Amino acid sequence: MFTRARILDAAVELLGTQGLKALTHIRVDMAAGVPKGSTSNYFRTRAALLTGVVEWLADQDLDVPVRRPSPPTDVGAFVALLAHCIEAATTASRPRTIARYVLFLEGTHNEDVRRPLLTGRAYLRSFIETSMESLGAHDPAAAATAITAVGEGMIIQRLTVDPDADVRAPIDAVVRAFVPRRRTRASD
């Protein structure tokens, strides 16, 4: 299992730093520091490698209990959590985030790639919706849609245009737009 994990980590890094064209068996072998042909032993075709990478990312995102915080009890804490996640995704986890977006684009015409990615996204959306419900939002589903859209927009902004773009203010604005005023004042 150790070799397989090294291969998949190297594949994610290649996708995130060099793009989809870099995802070849030979380049993954080299990047993982494994003997030639190792990637082919685990993933016979490029399509199998691509599916393996997607599933690896999805499994890691959903299988780490410490990343599953409880719904927040105040707006400030929720905004801070979301801002931290976006900042981490665009700094420390930048190659992984880029790899995920590369895969999402590939998934527009490949259901095997798209399906596992949507599972992770559904988990995030559910967490946001539950959090907004606990904060007293009148329409938690609409709030989750807006917050997710702003968050994804901020990620794209920081990855492609302005790596230092402020995250907190836009997230704060969209969260507070859905929470009754009395709840936002009491939590500050």
Side-chain angles (χ1 to χ4, degrees):
M1 196 55 100
F2 178 70
T3 300
R4 185 177 190 277
R6 283 178 55 191
I7 286 168
L8 290 167
D9 281 339
V12 169
E13 186 71 19
L14 282 171
L15 280 171
T17 58
Q18 298 177 33
L20 193 57
K21 288 183 180 181
L23 191 67
T24 67
H25 289 83
I26 292 170
R27 289 184 78 179
V28 173
D29 285 344
M30 290 173 47
V34 297
K36 186 177 177 182
S38 296
T39 301
S40 293
N41 286 335
Y42 287 96
F43 308 99
R44 283 287 186 219
T45 64
R46 187 167 190 273
L49 176 58
L50 196 58
T51 300
V53 170
V54 172
E55 290 172 353
W56 175 253
L57 281 171
D59 287 349
Q60 286 186 325
D61 289 348
L62 297 174
D63 201 32
V64 182
V66 292
R67 291 188 188 161
R68 296 181 187 183
S70 300
T73 56
D74 70 74
V75 172
F78 186 51
V79 168
L81 173 65
L82 293 175
H84 170 76
C85 289
I86 293 167
E87 289 165 355
T90 57
T91 56
S93 297
R94 181 182 173 89
R96 183 181 184 83
T97 302
I98 292 171
R100 185 174 283 104
Y101 278 103
V102 166
L103 292 168
F104 260 116
L105 290 173
E106 178 66 18
T108 61
H109 53 291
N110 183 338
E111 189 60 30
D112 290 336
V113 170
R114 187 172 186 259
R115 193 177 318 106
L117 291 169
L118 290 178
T119 301
R121 191 175 187 288
Y123 166 77
L124 175 63
R125 183 185 162 81
S126 172
F127 173 74
I128 292 171
E129 190 170 333
T130 300
S131 297
M132 290 305 289
E133 185 176 4
S134 75
L135 292 172
H138 296 294
D139 189 347
T145 298
I147 292 165
T148 302
V150 170
E152 289 172 347
M154 291 309 305
I155 289 171
I156 293 293
Q157 173 78 7
R158 288 176 61 105
L159 290 176
T160 62
V161 179
D162 182 1
D164 299 317
D166 177 41
V167 172
R168 193 177 194 90
I171 294 297
D172 186 72
V174 72
V175 168
R176 289 180 191 278
F178 286 94
V179 178
R181 278 197 169 292
R182 67 183 186 285
R183 292 291 300 252
T184 60
R185 286 189 186 141
S187 64
D188 291 333

